[in-house]
Amino acid sequence: MADILSAVEAESGLSVRDLAERTGLHRSTVSRLSTGMVNHLMLARTAAGLKLGPRFRRTEPDRPDTVTRRLVFETLQDLRDVTGRTVRLARLRDRSIVYTDVLRGPVDLPRPPTIGTALTARSTAAGKVILAHIPGPATGTEDPTLRDELCEIRTSGLAVEWGAAAAGSGCVAACVIVDDAVFGAISVALADVEDVDRVGLAVRTAARGLARRLATVTASRERSEASS
């Protein structure tokens, strides 16, 4: 239910099929849970699809718009299809990262983070690649080991974690930078350390592609606002 709420909170107007895709749950499970959530005013059905119900509806000015959400989802979907792995987008919130988008694949961590999961930035590949690219000294860089690691990540463009969450598994992440500002990080689950090079290339390519598409949208909006 928490995964369903997080998905609908991120993007209104989702169908049962959309929710199953975003949460990794079976359609019948999503259908059963969403019906109960509508009955308890947690969700509301509209012609466009499910949205937050009266119990949870609120305004969040900083929430990504529909176009941004669509570009993120399309990028993650393509990356999952290419790698066959679970893919995620993480955003920085204070000293933590929060997973805002998760598309599950056949290969994942034993205890995979779900939408809304918050973790200490320096403990994850996604967090470290973000810390490596934010301007100024990052939190925790007084640790010389971490500082050296972040320098290497900034040079390579990739952060890799192996065995941190569970033995025999890990993830690789790349930063999404739009107009010199960090938007977030894309990460992909790994089941084999030998896959780092192949999967890492795909992750880095996806992150750069998303950054270009988001920059194009931003520039188009600025031109539209200037002309009006």
Side-chain angles (χ1 to χ4, degrees):
M1 290 173 66
D3 284 350
I4 291 173
L5 280 174
S6 295
V8 175
E9 183 180 26
E11 181 178 358
S12 291
L14 296 177
S15 65
V16 169
R17 179 179 179 179
D18 294 332
L19 286 170
E21 179 76 16
R22 284 159 172 75
T23 62
L25 298 171
H26 194 277
R27 283 196 201 179
S28 62
T29 302
V30 173
S31 178
R32 175 174 54 81
L33 290 176
S34 60
T35 297
M37 294 166 76
V38 168
N39 292 339
H40 287 84
L41 305 181
M42 300 166 74
L43 296 177
R45 295 190 189 278
T46 68
L50 291 164
K51 67 176 184 179
L52 287 179
R55 286 193 178 187
F56 296 101
R57 198 176 298 137
R58 64 184 185 274
T59 302
E60 293 187 6
D62 62 340
R63 189 164 59 191
D65 58 82
T66 302
V67 174
T68 299
R69 300 292 310 175
R70 177 176 58 79
L71 293 179
V72 168
F73 177 73
E74 290 175 354
T75 299
L76 296 185
Q77 189 174 47
D78 289 343
L79 183 58
R80 185 188 59 180
D81 292 344
V82 168
T83 62
R85 310 299 173 87
T86 290
V87 299
R88 306 176 184 86
L89 179 79
R91 306 290 299 275
L92 189 65
R93 296 288 185 272
D94 297 323
R95 298 182 181 182
S96 301
I97 59 161
V98 177
Y99 291 95
T100 59
D101 299 82
V102 179
L103 291 183
R104 293 182 179 173
V107 178
D108 205 343
L109 301 172
R111 295 186 298 277
T114 56
I115 294 174
T117 297
L119 298 171
T120 304
R122 60 184 294 175
S123 68
T124 66
K128 287 181 180 178
V129 81
I130 290 176
L131 292 178
H133 287 88
I134 59 177
T139 301
T141 51
E142 63 274 7
D143 178 349
T145 301
L146 177 61
R147 186 169 58 245
D148 292 344
E149 184 179 3
L150 295 182
C151 287
E152 293 178 5
I153 291 170
R154 190 158 47 247
T155 300
S156 68
L158 290 174
V160 179
E161 281 292 336
W162 188 257
S169 64
C171 63
V172 57
C175 202
V176 180
I177 303 174
V178 182
D179 295 331
D180 297 324
V182 173
F183 175 80
I186 295 175
S187 67
V188 175
L190 295 173
D192 190 334
V193 70
E194 294 180 358
D195 275 353
V196 169
D197 290 340
R198 180 182 68 85
V199 177
L201 177 61
V203 175
R204 188 162 46 200
T205 300
R208 290 173 177 173
L210 177 59
R212 285 194 296 270
R213 297 178 74 184
L214 291 174
T216 299
V217 169
T218 300
S220 177
R221 285 174 182 158
E222 291 176 347
R223 288 194 298 270
S224 178
E225 291 173 359
S227 62
S228 60

